[in-house]
Each structure stands twice: as C-alpha cells, then as structure tokens.
Amino acid sequence: MKKTLYLFLAAALSVLSVSGCKESDSKPSTPAMEPEVTLVALESGFTTFSFKVTVKDADDAAYLFLEADQAAPSAETVLADGEHIDAVAAADGITVELTGLESAVAYKLYVAASNGETVMSEPEVLPFTTESEYFADVESTATLAWYYGLDETVGGDLVFLSLCNAGLDKYSAMPSGEGELLRLYMYTEKTDKDNMALSPGTYTLVAEPSAPFEVAGGDYSAFALSTEDGWMQIGYESGTVTVERDGDTYDIVAEMVIADGLGTKVRGKFSGVLDFEDLTDGYIHFDSDMNEVMLGHSGGIYSGDENCNDYTMTFYNCELDSDGFIVGAGFLFNTELFFDVNGTDYSGTYKPATDWMNGYKNYTYMPGDVMYYYGFYMPYGTYLSEYDDYGNLIRIGLVVDGDIDVSISDGVLSMNGVLTTDKGHEITVSYEGPEDLTDMTQMSVSSASVKIRPAAKPGKSADAGVTGWRAL
C-alpha cells in the first residue's frame, strides 16, 4: 500500500513539474525598444563639419559619412564600419566634429543605433556641404576642347580647354548669361589630329611653356565671370590642372589662383567625354551641308600669268560697315577664277585647278586652303566662311571640288555653285545681281569693298587695370 502511494505521489510530482515548465516557457517576453536618433547640423567649415546627435533607447551607436552621390549604407553597415559613439552619453545629446573633409563637397552623414539585438530599420541621414574656399567653383556644363596641333618650340600639342557653367558659343568660345568660365591653354604630349587627346597627368601653369604638361599663363589662360558690366576676365597667378582618363572619358580638375594679388582661388571641374575640335589650320570647319544665297558682290581682275588673269570674286550676305569690314552675322563666299587674259566675257563653267601653282588654266578656279601669315591664319582661294553678330569669323569650308557656273549679261552677274569641301560636305551657293568688278591689272592696290579680318592664333589681350580685371 505504501509502495503504491509512493509511486502515485512521484507520478503526480512529475506531472506538476512538466506542467510548470510549459507554463513558464509560454510566458511572453518584453521586446527591446527600437532606438531613436535625432541629428542637428551645427557648423560647416572648409574641411570640417559639426553636428549634435541624440540617441534614445540604445546601447550602441555609430556614424559614417560618404560623398552625397555614393550609395547609402544599411544600418548594419554603419554599426560595423562606422565610428562608434557613447550611446549612454548621447542620450542627452553630444556634439561630434568631422575633420579632414574636402572643401565645397556635398556629403551625407549616416547614424545608426542598436538595442541588444534590435537594430534601426535604416540609418538617420543628415546631408551637408562643406564651405567653399573658392571664389568660383565651376561644374562645367559647357565644355570646349580645341586641338591646335604640334607646337615645335614646346615639343607638344596645344589644346584649348574651356570649362564654363553659362551659355557658351561653340564656334567663338564666347560665353553668355550669368556664370563663370575657366580658359586653359594646355600643352600635352605629341599626338595627331586623328588621335586628339589630353594625356593623363598634372599640368602646371608657367609664364612661358617649354614642355608638355604645362599650362600657358601670361596673356593666354584666364578666368572670366559675368558682372553688371558684362563678362570680365583676369589672368592666373599660379595653378594646376589634373587630368585623369579612362578611354574617352575624362575627369579634369583645374585648381587656379587668379592674379588679383589676394590669392583668390577658383576651381573648374569636368567629367565625361571630351569632343575635340580640329583647329590645326586655325578654324572650325562646317560639319554639315550648307546652302547660301548671296546678296552682294565685289571683286577685282588681277594679273595672273601669260595665259589667264585672276578674277577674285567675293559674294556675301552679311552686314558691312562704311569701311567695308564685316560687322554682322552672315556668310561670305570667295573664289579665284582663272580666265583667258585676252577674253572679255568670262561666262562659263569653272572647275577646280588641281595644279594651279604650276600655271593657270582657262575656266578653272583655285581650291580653298589656309595660310599662316605673320601670326595670322588666313583662308584663301575658294571657300565659304561664316561670321557671328560681331563680325568674327567662326567657321569655314574649303572648296576642293565641284563646278561654278558664271554668266554676265548687261551688267547682271549670275553665279551658281554646287561644291564639295575638304571635309566632304556639300556647299551650294548662288548670286544674281549687279556686277561690282574692277580691272586691277594695271594697279597694285585692291578696291574690293569686302574686307576680312584674319583669325589670330590665341594672343595677347588688352592691358589689365589695377585690379587685374579687364573686359572679355
């Protein structure tokens, strides 16, 4: 009997024991609170930034800052890779200062916290930008790269680089609207116009370039900005241009000090593909077919050789001033026709004279080309040229093929041409109107009414005033 009672009590205690364990395990536990983070920006310097951080319900916290365009990290990444802060002290708010930042750069600050195994679903974010030490910090939205080719005195190629955040005429390189502009004449390693490029490296401003990886100072490279009086420019005192290249993609940073005597800094930046323009002959060429109707004519008959005279014919639809200089937008078509010295009616069809330097042939014309004459590039022969609103020559097309039909009747000159340039584009020109042709075979001075200002290679500007600034 006692044995039976003992077994019964043992079984009952065992049941009670198991029942008690199950009741304890099923009791719900209190989850940890998700941390809260509050961020307040305090002060931004050239290379520093301070902020106040308050953390609630956390036993660990950390911060991480990245440039604004970088991918946002997770809360776990911030806690694993970031700089840890005292979460207990941060409960009442603490101040943190970041140092060693870059000037004028946009960043994002990420702060994350955890409470035991409970981690914030995502970090708290505070964007900030460091102060700029630059008078102007130009992210180039209008970029030009003009390739002038080899400069034998330097032993490298000259490239004109323009970094601008305003409107910029791609033919004249003149800016418009509000903004800033950095012009840089850079000597890079020797290449050729079929492989135009800027070599990677650091380029240094010098007064007189003598080797590649130098930037021409003096009266060449300059900084310009828009003021109430229009665009003004000033030269550089010192500076460097850093070029990085990956295939056709460039990252360029120009850090320059302008010559105002105050050590004022400017910076220009460009990232992307550089589209180089070939200016080895001093001019931008037409990149499409052209069709122009001319409204005026002027020219002269000049002595040629024993076979033919040179009929210099200039047709135009641009504005001229009282002295005959081009002062407005439009086009000019020039041609040199070779016609029989004993002839009077020069009507006919003219074809290109491929060997004109060895003698003139009747009913031919001189193809277009460019000469370098006492510091100036000048087109000659047969060509079409375009001018801007100020009478500056901005583009040309050198004619090398095609026919020019000419007829003259009762003082009315008719000219029509369907021509091809050395770049493979078609030029169609026409004129019908009064003939203004003077016989210059017995004279030495031309009376032609149209005067063309030659295009100069980059050269000196007007003298600067006391501040160093001058009109662009």
Side-chain angles (χ1 to χ4, degrees), residues 158-199:
L158 174 60
V159 173
F160 166 75
L161 181 67
S162 182
L163 306 177
C164 185
N165 58 12
L168 189 64
D169 188 287
K170 68 177 183 178
Y171 302 123
S172 66
M174 291 297 292
S176 61
E178 296 184 357
E180 296 90 21
L181 164 68
L182 284 85
R183 285 178 167 171
L184 302 160
Y185 289 89
M186 305 170 60
Y187 286 93
T188 188
E189 292 178 309
K190 181 180 177 181
T191 178
D192 58 72
K193 61 183 180 181
D194 294 325
N195 300 283
M196 296 178 284
L198 273 175
S199 298

Side-chain angles (χ1 to χ4, degrees), residues 18 54 79 89 120 134 157 166 214 261 275 291 303 408 415 442:
V18 172
T54 304
L79 288 168
M120 295 176 63
Y134 302 101
D157 290 345
E214 293 181 339
D275 294 321
N291 189 338
S303 297
I408 179 71
M415 182 277 299
Q442 305 302 317

Side-chain angles (χ1 to χ4, degrees), residues 37-41 49-53 62-68 73 78 83 96 98 106-112 123-129:
V37 173
T38 303
L39 297 173
V40 178
F49 175 71
S50 59
F51 62 96
K52 181 179 180 181
V53 54
Y63 66 84
L64 189 66
F65 64 89
L66 301 171
E67 291 190 18
V78 174
E83 191 74 23
V96 179
L98 308 180
Y107 292 93
K108 285 184 179 179
L109 173 71
Y110 301 90
V111 178
E124 191 70 22
V125 184
L126 179 62
F128 69 94
T129 302

Side-chain angles (χ1 to χ4, degrees), residues 30-76:
T30 303
M33 298 288 290
E34 180 171 320
E36 295 181 9
V37 173
T38 303
L39 297 173
V40 178
L42 297 179
E43 186 175 1
S44 181
F46 292 143
T47 60
T48 61
F49 175 71
S50 59
F51 62 96
K52 181 179 180 181
V53 54
T54 304
V55 180
K56 301 292 187 182
D57 301 317
D59 56 15
D60 190 17
Y63 66 84
L64 189 66
F65 64 89
L66 301 171
E67 291 190 18
D69 59 355
Q70 293 184 269
S74 65
E76 288 81 3

